[in-house]
Amino acid sequence: MENQNNSTNNERETEKSSLEQAAIQPEVDIKALQKSYSELQSAFTKKAQAYKELEQKINSMPRREDIIREYLLSNNTSEAPTVLTSSSSAFDFAKEKKPTNLAQADRLACEYFKKGVSK
């Protein structure tokens, strides 16, 4: 008889613990879960599309090297660049001194080097 009482008590405790666990666990609403999942999936898809658009914009932008090359080629003219001149000795090297022969070019080069060394 005592064994019957023990087994009955064990069964009651098992049922009681099952009921307690059922009370603790929230009821799952399948439709709400499906709705949340579809909203999450939609948000993810939008983010992925925005990322792809940004990636395409970045890839369509010219590279820095291409920009520099285009700039240099557009400014490549046969004219000599404008040279700054001044009455001060700081810009004497920029004055137009065009040698007409090799001896004058040599003398002009020596003048430039002497001015650079003496300063």
Side-chain angles (χ1 to χ4, degrees), residues 3 15 28 52 61 64 68 102 109:
N3 284 342
E15 287 177 19
V28 177
K52 278 286 188 190
M61 291 176 65
R64 188 170 90 186
I68 293 170
L102 192 55

Side-chain angles (χ1 to χ4, degrees), residues 80-103:
T82 306
V83 178
L84 297 174
T85 58
S86 172
S87 61
S88 73
S89 63
F91 291 105
D92 280 346
F93 66 89
K95 290 183 182 176
E96 290 190 35
K97 298 178 183 178
K98 296 182 180 178
T100 56
N101 58 33
L102 192 55

